[in-house]
Amino acid sequence: MKLAARVGRIVPSPTLSITATAKSMAAQGIDVIDFASGEPDFDTPEPVKAAAEAAIRAGFTKYTPSSGIDELRVAIADKLKEEQGLQYDKSQILVSCGAKHSLYNLAEALLEAGDELIIPVPFWVSYQDQTLLNDATPVLLQTREEDGYTISQEALEAVITPRTKAIIVNSPCNPTGATYDRTTLEGIAAAALRHDLVIISDEIYEKVLYDGTQHISIATLSPEVAARTVVINGVSKAYAMTGWRIGYAAGPKPLLTAMANIQSQSTSNPCSISQKAAVAALRLGNPFTKTMVTEFDRRRRVMVDRLNKMPGVTCCMPTGAFYAFPNVSGLLGKRWKDQPIGSAANLATYLLNEAQVAVVPGEPFGSDIHIRLSYATAMEAIERGLTRIDAALRRLS
């Protein structure tokens, strides 16, 4: 059987793959500590679960409009207006099966062969593969750890070509936890306006912020910027609802209509029950989010402090999301028995096999000298896992 050529351009999600491996080992009775999963360990808030239960008992179990129920789209519009001052009609909002699905709908509606999409590095793994699946070319914009992974306008201008169609903005960022300030966003917006680019603003971690950092959506900079920006968000991270699979996009009506048409011919509507739950999350969930982020902050400080005390490791303090992205270049070239640690992927394999700790290597994110650890897990697991990593690193020669 001859498969479509696009299948050979991509690989399975490495984070999901490593998480599956860790769960498989745990099922075999191995005590694996999972720092790979990109999801909160908190349970979904009770008001959200109650709304889902009420939906089931009321028989809200049939097809809904493929773009999402009006109640949820209005709740999203209200959220965007109240929290960010963004004004959208419900026709400009599409509810999908997770923010990843929203991004894929957008890639299908926007990109085609010959187009280029600028992706700042390090990047969330699916940006590149979704671009390739839609026959376009990812253009990787390098950023520097010592600059806080910020995007300079000069570097951005240098990679724009006549084929550039759009740029990804991911703040707070997965995997680095970096956030963009207003000056950085203004530079990106200026380039987008000058070159007629679409801005894809992935804001899924917008509520997971620390040290007084304020989230700024690039769409708020001006009406002209909003007119070319698609805001991507969802309920997975802020309300511990990863399995409910509700994401959304808001943006220019012609583009959102095209995305909705694509969704109507692919998945149809998101889960009816999850949509009712998402309404409750958006209306009632902020106190829960604040409590969760306070705990993430405590874990963040412990993890980064411990990582910076390990041999060959340095780690910046993230200002958003729930990941540490330590630089492990000081470990590359070391050995375990007869096996060289020549890459972040080698190190991740070593830690899984020898320390029973799952981390994600940096290569799928665009870096071969970093690994990613999630601190969205219990403090006890964080402390045990870091102790194991420390001991394993000290065994390298």
Side-chain angles (χ1 to χ4, degrees), residues 72-88 93 203-207 215 217 231-235 238-239 248 278-279 281-283 286:
L72 178 52
R73 291 200 285 169
V74 169
I76 292 166
D78 289 346
K79 179 264 180 206
L80 292 168
K81 182 178 180 180
E82 293 166 6
E83 296 185 1
Q84 291 157 296
L86 294 170
Q87 186 80 43
Y88 295 103
I93 294 170
E203 303 180 15
I204 191 68
Y205 294 97
E206 60 153 341
K207 291 183 180 293
H215 174 69
S217 173
V231 174
I232 304 290
N233 210 325
V235 297
Y239 307 107
Y248 59 85
V279 172
L282 292 169
R283 299 291 192 197
N286 283 342

Side-chain angles (χ1 to χ4, degrees), residues 79-348:
K79 179 264 180 206
L80 292 168
K81 182 178 180 180
E82 293 166 6
E83 296 185 1
Q84 291 157 296
L86 294 170
Q87 186 80 43
Y88 295 103
D89 181 80
K90 66 183 181 182
S91 65
Q92 295 177 270
I93 294 170
L94 172 64
V95 182
S96 302
C97 304
K100 182 185 284 190
H101 186 206
S102 300
L103 285 162
Y104 189 78
N105 284 333
L106 176 55
E108 283 234 316
L110 186 66
L111 301 175
E112 55 192 352
D115 289 339
E116 295 177 348
L117 173 67
I118 296 174
I119 304 173
V121 182
F123 51 84
W124 179 53
V125 295
S126 292
Y127 297 146
Q128 180 168 251
D129 283 356
Q130 289 188 357
T131 304
L132 294 169
L133 276 171
N134 287 281
D135 302 320
T137 301
V139 174
L140 304 184
L141 172 59
Q142 297 296 325
T143 65
R144 303 198 313 165
E145 181 178 350
E146 54 267 38
D147 297 332
Y149 299 109
T150 193
I151 297 174
S152 75
Q153 193 169 347
E154 294 75 18
L156 174 56
E157 291 278 358
V159 298
I160 294 173
T161 76
R163 295 181 297 279
T164 305
K165 192 74 168 284
I167 179 172
I168 290 276
V169 175
N170 179 209
S171 176
C173 174
N174 173 8
T176 65
T179 51
Y180 295 159
D181 61 16
R182 181 174 293 274
T183 300
T184 298
L185 294 173
E186 287 173 344
I188 296 169
L193 290 169
R194 184 159 44 253
H195 297 280
D196 192 26
L197 307 182
V198 174
I199 302 168
I200 303 169
S201 185
D202 183 351
E203 303 180 15
I204 191 68
Y205 294 97
E206 60 153 341
K207 291 183 180 293
V208 187
L209 295 167
Y210 315 105
D211 302 331
T213 303
Q214 298 294 312
H215 174 69
I216 303 170
S217 173
I218 194 169
T220 64
L221 295 184
S222 73
E224 293 78 17
V225 175
R228 63 180 59 251
T229 299
V230 180
V231 174
I232 304 290
N233 210 325
V235 297
S236 293
K237 312 299 183 180
Y239 307 107
M241 294 177 65
T242 51
W244 297 79
R245 306 315 302 135
I246 294 292
Y248 59 85
K253 187 173 180 178
L255 182 50
L256 268 291
T257 299
M259 292 166 62
N261 290 340
I262 288 167
Q263 180 164 298
S264 74
Q265 295 292 0
S266 55
T267 62
S268 298
N269 63 277
C271 171
S272 59
I273 298 156
S274 294
Q275 290 186 67
K276 287 287 190 177
V279 172
L282 292 169
R283 299 291 192 197
L284 305 170
N286 283 342
F288 163 85
T289 303
K290 290 178 181 178
T291 299
M292 181 175 67
V293 172
T294 297
E295 175 59 18
F296 285 166
D297 185 17
R298 190 171 73 96
R299 299 171 185 178
R300 171 186 72 126
R301 295 176 185 278
V302 168
M303 178 173 278
V304 173
D305 180 65
R306 290 283 301 275
L307 286 168
N308 278 315
K309 292 177 181 176
M310 294 181 189
V313 178
T314 60
C315 187
C316 299
M317 183 67 78
T319 52
F322 40 68
Y323 307 106
F325 198 58
N327 185 317
V328 295
S329 57
L331 297 168
L332 304 185
K334 293 185 177 293
R335 304 181 70 85
W336 167 243
K337 297 180 179 177
D338 60 341
Q339 297 297 316
I341 306 295
S343 66
N346 292 158
L347 181 62

